[in-house]
Every structure is written in structure tokens, then in C-alpha cells.
Amino acid sequence: MTSTTSADALIAEFDAERPARRLRGRVAPAVTLVTFALSLYVLYHAFRPGAVLPYRMLFLAVVLPLTFVCYKPGRRGTDRPGAVDWVLAALSLAACLYPLAVFDDFIRRAFAPTPLDVAAGAVIVLLILEACRRTVGWILPAVCVAFAAYAYYGGHLPFDWVIGHRGYDIDRIIASFVMGTDGVYGVPLDVAATYIILFTIYGAVLDHSGAGRFFVDVSLAAFRRSRSAPGRTVTLAGFLLGTVSGSGVATTVSVGSVAWPILRRAGYPPEQGGGVLAAAGIGAILSPPTLGAAAFIIAEYMRVSYLTVLLYATIPTVLYYLGVFLAIEIDARTYGTRPVEADAPRLWPLVRRFGYHFSSLFVIVGLMALGQSPFRAVVYATLLAAVLSFLDREHALTPRRAVRALAAGTTGALPVAATCAAAGLIVAVVTLTGLGLKASSLIVGVSGGNLAVTALLCALAVLVLGLAVPVTASFVIAAVIIGPALMNLGVSQAEAYMFIFYYAVLSEVSPPTALSAFAASAITGGNAYRTMMATWKYTLPAFLVPFAFVLTPAGSALLAQGTTGEVLAVTAVSALAVAALAAATGGRLLGPAGPAERALCGAAAVLLLFLSPVPVLAGAGALLLAVSLHLVMRTRRETPL
């Protein structure tokens, strides 16, 4: 499948976010004009920020009506908005503008709302749930309804139950949802209205300026003459394209539609090739400089700069890609893959001609390192990408093309905005009822206060949650409910949030759903289950490394916290653990490894990730024993009888 239509169809089928309508006729230019105007306003707000709450309210008043116009009520809906869509759009505009029209009084009477306040708030909540259903499916709205029911009926729970509370009436619940900064207009929506939309605009500008095609070409040109080159190419292309798409499934499909024929010609079985594609796609949203949307929420919750979150993610990202590349090297030998001459320009001429596409990525990090806010850094990077686009006449951002790019950036943020607004409802219930601390006590009680058991329970909870709701919502829910359980046992805020972040993202490659793996299997034609398990093998380091920075005191160095010597030492030991893990899962050292060698390598990987002197020495000894045994067994196999 190489056509744009086929790729779009696969993204529509497997991505957590539903595809937008293909608007035509008079509606299309009208929506383009509104989305373009919102993009300009968001860019202006980055330099001239006003009051926070009115800005969030105005943002929702624009994106909520747009969602009903741009998204179908169901998968079989038409591309032309119907009467119901227009009624919902008008109703959402009126309901969202009401708080702005009476802003001062509206905020003052948060603890004594009028009937009109409650009615408007209820309408806003219902419309958010419907917008969320249209964009990401029915599960997240159902979770929100369950939380609202808990707030209302929780007072009827037995008095001695941990999660019981005194109960709240409808007026109090609606007020907590829309009349403050703990609900709809809380941190999640603020992140969508500032960080996320700016980065989707940046990604759209990059895409329209030809950066996506360049990233694929430069990946094809970078590794062109070795048998492991096809797998490396896919991984690099996924990393680069992730800065444009921001979605694991979309990156998997975009890379796969171009790279699967190359992997097939190289000799990759469909399932292994699909595993490489899915691992490359999910790696993009685990990696700086953009990461996933949840990373912006981490910065807001922790009150730290986004650059600090990027630093937290740097070493885990290096370890993730080390694991992927080692698995690729092993599979290249296991399956006897061969070099493939890709139809791509030569590397250095390509970089000399189009290497300017990299510059905006460096500008984002560089400006933040110099003290600029992420908002301004990404705006400057967007402007730079737009200016440099004129170096390529075919993709120059002429006024008409620039309008389309900015409009696409806003449209791309609509599902995230709906998700973040819905997540705010859950945060409001947690804050109102104190559920976070109660759930934390429950988790710690079940684990007996054991940190390892608590971390395992938290990881499983986040993975299960991520199977049902998008990554951003999964992180928000887990951060306010599960995060306190880890922090109550001495885990720092940074370690707890990054632990939850990684498991929220990894839900896209976790059995039994594994959206990225299923999308990859649809491209390769491989068995979906075996593709999912191959993906799990490639991404296994990302599942284990977060335990290292939660369970061990030295693990904080994996988040770049500590002295330079500590960070380097911990990184080296963790890299050795990832190498041992790759040998255990891939079944090779210097040659095919037997069960005993693989078992020793697996034990070594786990021991090394404890990052304490005694386990590290034991792990190094187990790895040395595995290599020694392998050399002996290899010599015996090669010695003729």
C-alpha cells in the first residue's frame, strides 16, 4: 500500500483519533478561514499573553464548534455537515461564550451557581463528551461519565470504604467542571491551547514545506549498503517523521507505506518487518525534541521548563534506540537479510540541498536552552521553517499554501483539545472528592507498601488504561490517581510522572490491542498477533528502563539528575543491560545462542538495571558467564567430529 488514500485509510482504521471530514463546497473555505484565524491568534498569544482563564474559554469556544463541523458523528457519516452538526456547533458556541460574557460574576459565584450557570455548564460538558466521542471514540466519554457518577453517588458508598465520600449535588459537580481551573478549563486544556496547538502548527508547516519527504529520503540515503541498513532506515525515518506527525500510528503508516517494500526486498518476514515499523513509529513520540502531548502536561504539573522534560527523556530515548538497533542487527543475521539499493538521492548532495529542514528542530532546543519559553521557541522555529521553504520552489509557503498549513495545524489539534477538555472533567472529580489520595492509599495497601509491587501495579494500571483511552488522557488520569501512590513511597515527582508517561505511550504497542502493531501488520500482510509480539521484542527496553529510575536510588541519573560521573556510569550500565536484553530476546551473541546463554543474558539485564553495586556486579558476572558459555558451545559446534 503506497498511495496516500491507502495510508489515510489505515490511519483512520487504527489510530486512536478519528479522521476529520474532507470538507468541500462553501464550508471548506469558511472552516479554513476560521482555523487560520485561530492559528494567528494562538501565535499572537505566544508573544502577548492575556488573562489565562478567558483565553482558555475563548479557545474552547472556537475549537468545540469546529469539531462538530470537521468530524462525523460516526464512521459512516458523510463529509458534508448536517443539520444536527450545525445545531451542535451553534449551541457549543453560545454555551462557551456565556461564561465570557459574564466572566467576573461567573467566577465569583462558583460556590453558588445560578440555574443558568448550571444549565450552561451542563451543556458544555455534554458537548465536550460528544466532541470527544467523535474524535477519539466512546470509551473516554464513558470513563468521564463514570467519574461524574462517582462524584454524585459516592456518598451512598459504605462509610468504611476507602473511596467513599460525602456526596455532591449536581450544582456543585457542574460548578467544579466549568467554574474554575480544576475542570474543563484546567491544565490539560491549557496545554492543548498553548503547547500542543503551537507544535501541531509547527508540524503542519514542516509538512507543507516538504520536510516529511526529505526526512524519508535522508533516512533511505543514510544506510544504503549493509544488510541491517533497511531496518536502520525505517527507525531513523520514524524518528524524524515523528516531529511532523506526533502520532505513533500515523508515523508507522507513513514510514511503512514507503519502507515496507524495501524491508521485503531485504528479506524481512512480514511480522518482523511490521515490528520494526511499529517500534519506529512509537519511538517518535518517546523522543526529543517534540515528545508526545503528555510531556507538555508534565512540564505544567511540575512547574518546570519543557527543556527540563526533554533532558529527562534524553537518556531513556538513547537506550530505547540502542535496543531497537541491536535487535535490528540480530534480526539481520537471524533472517539473513541483504543490502537493498533504495531509489533515493545520495546522502551528502541531499543534505547540502535540503538540510535546512533540520535547522528549525535545532532552533527549538537552542532557544529554550538560551532561556526562551517553549511558546516563543516553537513560533520562531515555525517562522524559520516558513522562510526556508522558499529555498525549494515546489514547496514554498506562498500565501495560499501558508494559509492551508496554518489551518491544518489548528485542525490537527482538535482531537487533542477535545481529549484534554474531557480529561479536565476527571481531574475535577479527583480534586473534588479527594480520589487521588484515596486511590493511592488503596494501591499502597494492596502492595503492602512494597515499592516494586506498587510500581508493577501502577504500570499494569496505566497500560490497561491506555488500551481504552488516548495517550494524553491516559497520562492525565494516571498522574492524578496513580502518581500519588508512587510519590507516597518516596519516588520523586519527576520519576513518577516519567514512569507514567512511558507506560501511557507504550500502551500503543502493548498486547492485546497494540494499535501501531496492528497498523503495521495491515501494511505488511503479516499475522497481527505475531507482529504485535515482534514489536514487543523491539520495544522491551522501554518497558524495563522506567522501573530502573523508580526502584533504585541511582535511577534518577537516567533522568539526567546527578553529577556528570553518575549520569555517565548509570547510562553505561543501563546500555550494557539493554545489550544483554537484546541478546536474550534475539537469541544471538557472536552466533546463535542456546537456552542457557539466553537465560543468563536475561538475568544479567534485570540485575544490571537495579543499578546498585552488588546487583550490577552479579549482572556483569552473569553476562560474562553467558559469553564464556557461548564461546565454548560455539567452539564445540564448529569443531568437526
Side-chain angles (χ1 to χ4, degrees), residues 52-75:
V52 172
L53 198 52
Y55 173 72
R56 298 176 191 175
M57 290 177 171
L58 183 59
F59 178 79
L60 186 65
V62 178
V63 299
L64 199 55
L66 281 172
T67 304
F68 293 116
V69 174
C70 293
Y71 283 83
K72 304 173 186 177
R75 289 186 180 272

Side-chain angles (χ1 to χ4, degrees), residues 502-517:
Y502 279 106
Y503 274 93
V505 173
L506 289 169
S507 63
E508 285 204 10
V509 291
S510 299
T513 54
L515 296 176
S516 293

Side-chain angles (χ1 to χ4, degrees), residues 100-322:
L100 280 171
V102 293
F103 181 78
D104 291 337
D105 292 335
F106 186 78
I107 298 303
R108 273 199 299 268
R109 57 183 182 241
F111 289 96
T114 66
L116 185 57
D117 294 337
V118 174
V123 169
I124 291 172
V125 170
L126 292 174
L127 290 169
I128 287 172
L129 294 178
E130 170 59 13
C132 191
R133 185 195 66 81
R134 291 188 178 208
T135 54
V136 299
W138 62 269
I139 296 179
L140 179 57
V143 171
C144 293
V145 170
F147 271 83
Y150 167 71
Y152 186 74
Y153 291 107
H156 299 289
L157 294 174
F159 181 76
D160 57 345
W161 281 28
V162 175
I163 60 172
H165 59 81
R166 66 183 182 85
Y168 298 91
D169 60 22
I170 294 295
D171 289 8
R172 184 72 182 91
I173 294 171
I174 294 297
S176 71
F177 283 162
V178 299
M179 300 182 74
T181 56
D182 287 329
V184 168
Y185 302 114
V187 169
L189 184 66
D190 183 60
V191 168
T194 51
Y195 292 100
I196 294 173
I197 191 170
L198 287 172
F199 274 87
T200 59
I201 291 171
Y202 167 65
V205 168
L206 270 184
D207 190 36
H208 281 71
S209 66
R213 179 71 254 180
F214 166 71
F215 290 154
V216 173
D217 285 344
V218 79
S219 301
L220 293 173
F223 307 111
R224 51 193 311 160
R225 298 197 178 279
S226 71
R227 58 184 174 181
S228 55
R232 296 178 191 168
T233 295
V234 169
T235 305
L236 178 59
F239 172 73
L240 294 174
L241 274 179
T243 62
V244 177
S245 75
S247 162
V249 172
T251 303
T252 297
V253 172
S254 299
V255 174
S257 60
V258 175
W260 166 236
I262 298 172
L263 292 174
R264 183 174 55 214
R265 278 159 39 207
Y268 272 89
E271 290 79 16
Q272 299 301 320
V276 175
L277 292 172
I282 203 67
I285 57 175
L286 285 170
S287 308
T290 52
L291 291 175
F296 301 114
I297 299 177
I298 292 175
E300 285 297 301
Y301 277 175
M302 291 187 61
R303 303 289 183 183
V304 298
S305 70
Y306 182 59
L307 182 61
T308 300
V309 180
L310 294 186
L311 290 175
Y312 291 160
T314 299
I315 296 173
T317 296
V318 171
L319 296 174
Y320 176 82
Y321 281 105
L322 173 64

Side-chain angles (χ1 to χ4, degrees), residues 11 28-29 31 37 55 60 122 134 214 224 254 300 303 346 374 398 402 413 416 432 491 494 511 513 564 591 628 636:
I11 294 172
V31 168
Y55 173 72
L60 186 65
R134 291 188 178 208
F214 166 71
R224 51 193 311 160
S254 299
E300 285 297 301
R303 303 289 183 183
R346 298 186 64 81
T398 58
V416 182
L432 181 66
V491 177
T513 54
T564 302
S628 301
R636 288 182 180 178

